[in-house]
Each structure stands twice: as structure tokens, then as C-alpha cells.
Amino acid sequence: MKVMISGGGTGGHIYPALALLDTLKARHPKLEVLYIGTENGLEADLVPRAGVPFKSIRIAGLKRSLSVDNVKTAYWFVQSVLTLRKEMKTFRPDVVIGTGGFVSGPVVFTAQQLGIPTILHEQNSIPGLTNKFLSKKADRVALSFAGSEAQFPDANVRVIGNPRGSEVLKTTVNEAAVRAEFGLDERPIVLIYGGSRGAEAINRAVIEAIPELAAEPVNVLYVTGNVHYDNVVATAPKADNVHVLPYVYNMPELLACASLVVSRAGASTISELTALGLPSILIPSPYVTADHQTKNASALVENGAAELIKEGDLTGETLVTSIRHVLANHDEMAEASKRLGFPHAAEALADLVEEVRE
Ligand SMILES: CC(=O)N[C@H]1[C@@H](OP(=O)(O)OP(=O)(O)OC[C@H]2O[C@@H](n3ccc(=O)[nH]c3=O)[C@H](O)[C@@H]2O)O[C@H](CO)[C@@H](O)[C@@H]1O
């Protein structure tokens, strides 16, 4: 079987694609894959690192307001379609899969023009522009949250969850080795990060909270995001139990060892938390389309699996208070979180790939 897959920009669009590929490879050892991304997105680092053949195209996202940049984007879109037509005629994929981010737009569009079966995976409870545009001609649209079906009235929709969630369940975890790697003692691990690219507001609050966190009976693994790391290290107070990291490549393993996660409410993160049954403190990004992270977080908050802090209310003090509160209610929140997970999402998405290629 041959699949072409595209999703990019941030980890939330890339990890679900990689999780699907792992599942397909387990079923088809001779699977041939070509991943299409851009040079500027995180995919240019993560995809080759996962050993997946990668090619890049040049494309940018459309601006929502009138802008000359949109003329350039239209130009790059047409150029990308021409390049991709050649690529698809040579590679001859059985199925083309888009997992979101603007790069998946021309890839799935070209496949649809050429009559190749296409599948979209939507991670968020409010769909992105690219997927809405492509859904009309897609053979399947796989959704991560029940209740968002109405957003794709004309499409062949299935609610299956997010493959990244089930992927983390499959990870082999050696907790003693993880604790040794970061110099952590036996106290619970609080894992803090701001999505795949880091978040300045979370970094500010953590830096403010470090003197208090130093006195809490926890180990803190604090991931700043690559671009923020130097600045955080230069300004953050030091504490023996707070370990600062730029980016984590083995996140599934760390998540499996953590007792509590503090994070943005990106959709792939949510799928990991609920697959593992982890309590969380979620700080939705207010800078995303249609405030979709607040919507992503809502099921967890309503079911007692997470506490939500609005970015405007986030300070060192509100963060520490919430960490204490969640740890005190850990077990009930963990159970509530587990009830919301989709542990078989990767298999379900792989089933759709098999379905449409027949
Ligand atoms: C600002 C922005 O546009 N955010 C969007 C982006 O988020 P973003 O990519 O930040 O967020 P997600 O939470 O969906 O995914 C992050 C992924 O990166 C992993 N990770 C994170 C940090 C790290 O050091 N190492 C690591 O492996 C996480 O475990 C997770 O699997 O895509 C998601 C869609 O899928 C959306 O819901 C988010 O709104």
C-alpha cells in the first residue's frame, strides 16, 4: 500500500499523522509513505526524525483580512498543485490523508482533482478552514470529538478520536529511567508545557510561581518551547525540584510518568490526557480560530477531569493554587479523564484508510 500524508505547522497536526503511520506500518510492513510538509513547520524536524520520507512544498496560510500576502499565497497554492500533480503521478498513492494545517490544503486538493481517495482528520472540536474547504470532496472526514458532526453536513463523517491519544497508550515506559534521566525523586511529577511551540503567558506564570513550587512536594518538568528557552533560563529563579527543558521528543513517556499536566488545550494534548487518564490544568490559547481551545477543553472541565484557567487570570499564584487543588483531588479527576478517552483511535483511522482504498 502507498499513502501520501500531509499535516503541519504545529505538533498537533503532525503527531496524529505519525501515529496513523505507525499503525498502518504494523498492518502493512511494506507500506510506502511520502509525507508532504513545509520547511518552516515543526514537521521538517519531527517527520525525518521519525524515519518517514519527507518532501517540502512552499505555501502559506490565507490571512483572514484583505492583504497582498493572500495574492502570494494564491500563487504558491497554484505552484504547489503543479508540483504535487507530478509527485502524485510518480508516487501513485492509493490514499491521500490530510491532518490539517494549511500545508495539507494543496495536497488533498490535488488528490481530489486526480480522483485519488482522500481522508481528512480533524483534531479540533471547531474545524479549521482547510478541512472545511476540503471536506466536500473527501471520501471520509474523521473527527476527534463527538458533537462536531454538524460542522460537516455534506461529508462522510466518522467520530473516531485522535490517533495520537492511542499512540501514547502503546508507548513502553521505564519510569525509573525517566526519573534518573531528569534527576527526579519519588515525589509526583507535574509536567508543564505550552503546546508544541511553547506559550509566553504560561512561561511568565511559571517563572513567577517557581519560588512557591520550590517548597511543594513535587517534581516539576517544565518545557518552555524551543524559541523561549534561552530567555526563560536567563530569567527564571533556580529551584532543585524544577527542571527546565526546551522541547521534549519523548513526550508520551513523560506523560505516562506524570501525575498532573499543565498545558494549553491543543487537541492532540487533550487526546493524550484522556487516553492516559491524566488530570490537568488547561490554559486555552486565546489566539486561535474561533477560540477552539476553550471548546476543546470544555468536555474535560464539565466532567471534572480538568481545571481551566483563562489566560487573563493566569498568574504564579492562581497556578500554584490550582496545582495544589488538582493534586488533592487527583484520583477522581484521573478517572473522569480516562472516561473521555478514545483508546482505539489510531486503529479506527487506519480502518478508514483500508475502507477507501478498496
Ligand atoms: C497555537 C495553535 O495553533 N495551536 C493549535 C495546534 O496546537 P499544538 O500543536 O500546540 O497542540 P496540541 O496540543 O494539539 O499538540 C501538541 C503535541 O506536541 C507534543 N509535544 C509538545 C511539547 C513538547 O515539548 N513535545 C511534544 O511532543 C504534545 O505531546 C502533543 O502531542 O494544533 C492543535 C490541533 O491539533 C490545535 O488544537 C491547537 O489550537
Side-chain angles (χ1 to χ4, degrees), residues 173 175 178-179 188-192 221 251-261 273 276-279 327 330:
V173 182
E175 186 167 337
V178 169
R179 286 185 184 268
I189 298 172
V190 178
L191 177 57
I192 306 179
L221 279 179
M251 194 54 109
E253 220 182 337
L254 296 197
L255 285 166
C257 300
S259 293
L260 158 63
V261 168
L273 299 173
L276 289 164
L278 267 169
L327 286 175
H330 176 275

Side-chain angles (χ1 to χ4, degrees), residues 25-196:
K25 268 184 220 152
R27 292 187 188 185
H28 302 274
K30 289 192 182 148
L31 181 79
E32 286 182 58
V33 179
L34 184 55
Y35 197 115
I36 307 288
T38 69
E39 278 309 319
N40 307 329
L42 261 183
E43 63 273 20
D45 176 22
L46 299 180
V47 174
R49 196 179 268 274
V52 174
F54 177 76
K55 283 196 178 170
S56 61
I57 54 172
R58 193 162 174 189
I59 184 81
L62 272 180
K63 299 258 182 338
R64 276 158 198 268
S65 53
L66 276 180
S67 152
V68 277
D69 287 347
N70 283 344
V71 179
K72 270 195 235 155
T73 300
Y75 171 77
W76 287 121
F77 190 94
V78 174
Q79 292 302 311
S80 300
V81 170
L82 293 175
T83 310
L84 288 161
R85 281 180 84 93
K86 280 193 207 139
E87 205 65 70
M88 287 183 201
K89 284 183 175 163
T90 314
F91 183 66
R92 300 171 71 82
D94 296 301
V95 183
V96 172
I97 302 144
T99 58
F102 51 78
V103 66
S104 64
V107 180
V108 176
F109 176 80
T110 308
Q112 291 176 341
Q113 298 288 303
L114 294 175
I116 301 167
T118 56
I119 299 185
L120 302 172
H121 182 262
E122 174 57 62
Q123 295 87 39
N124 292 294
S125 47
I126 300 177
L129 274 181
T130 309
N131 276 354
K132 271 203 119 165
F133 164 70
L134 298 167
S135 67
K136 293 196 172 52
K137 288 198 169 162
D139 292 81
R140 296 285 184 278
V141 178
L143 303 182
S144 302
F145 291 92
S148 49
E149 298 91 322
Q151 312 262 4
F152 294 100
D154 308 322
N156 216 334
V157 166
R158 305 279 188 280
V159 179
I160 57 122
N162 181 326
R164 170 70 169 183
S166 37
E167 175 90 348
V168 297
L169 280 179
K170 284 193 277 177
T171 308
T172 343
V173 182
N174 182 341
E175 186 167 337
V178 169
R179 286 185 184 268
E181 181 184 345
F182 296 105
L184 312 181
D185 59 27
E186 67 298 336
R187 294 176 297 179
I189 298 172
V190 178
L191 177 57
I192 306 179
Y193 60 97
S196 57

Side-chain angles (χ1 to χ4, degrees), residues 111-319:
Q112 291 176 341
Q113 298 288 303
L114 294 175
I116 301 167
T118 56
I119 299 185
L120 302 172
H121 182 262
E122 174 57 62
Q123 295 87 39
N124 292 294
S125 47
I126 300 177
L129 274 181
T130 309
N131 276 354
K132 271 203 119 165
F133 164 70
L134 298 167
S135 67
K136 293 196 172 52
K137 288 198 169 162
D139 292 81
R140 296 285 184 278
V141 178
L143 303 182
S144 302
F145 291 92
S148 49
E149 298 91 322
Q151 312 262 4
F152 294 100
D154 308 322
N156 216 334
V157 166
R158 305 279 188 280
V159 179
I160 57 122
N162 181 326
R164 170 70 169 183
S166 37
E167 175 90 348
V168 297
L169 280 179
K170 284 193 277 177
T171 308
T172 343
V173 182
N174 182 341
E175 186 167 337
V178 169
R179 286 185 184 268
E181 181 184 345
F182 296 105
L184 312 181
D185 59 27
E186 67 298 336
R187 294 176 297 179
I189 298 172
V190 178
L191 177 57
I192 306 179
Y193 60 97
S196 57
R197 290 179 169 257
E200 228 174 292
I202 296 182
N203 288 339
R204 258 197 316 271
V206 177
I207 292 172
E208 218 179 287
I210 285 178
E212 291 245 23
L213 290 172
E216 291 294 310
V218 292
N219 295 287
V220 178
L221 279 179
Y222 163 37
V223 189
T224 61
N226 277 327
V227 294
H228 305 287
Y229 180 73
D230 291 340
N231 192 30
V232 170
V233 170
T235 47
K238 306 275 174 287
D240 287 345
N241 62 338
V242 179
H243 306 265
V244 187
L245 309 162
Y247 189 84
V248 166
Y249 288 100
N250 61 337
M251 194 54 109
E253 220 182 337
L254 296 197
L255 285 166
C257 300
S259 293
L260 158 63
V261 168
V262 177
S263 169
R264 285 295 196 204
S268 290
T269 294
I270 301 265
S271 75
E272 293 162 339
L273 299 173
T274 53
L276 289 164
L278 267 169
S280 56
I281 297 167
L282 299 174
I283 304 125
S285 167
Y287 313 107
V288 299
T289 318
D291 197 21
H292 68 243
Q293 291 202 356
T294 300
K295 186 91 198 312
N296 288 346
S298 62
L300 280 73
V301 176
E302 283 158 18
N303 287 281
E307 286 194 358
L308 184 136
I309 305 181
K310 286 190 184 153
E311 183 170 298
D313 297 333
L314 180 67
T315 62
E317 198 184 332
T318 51
L319 181 62

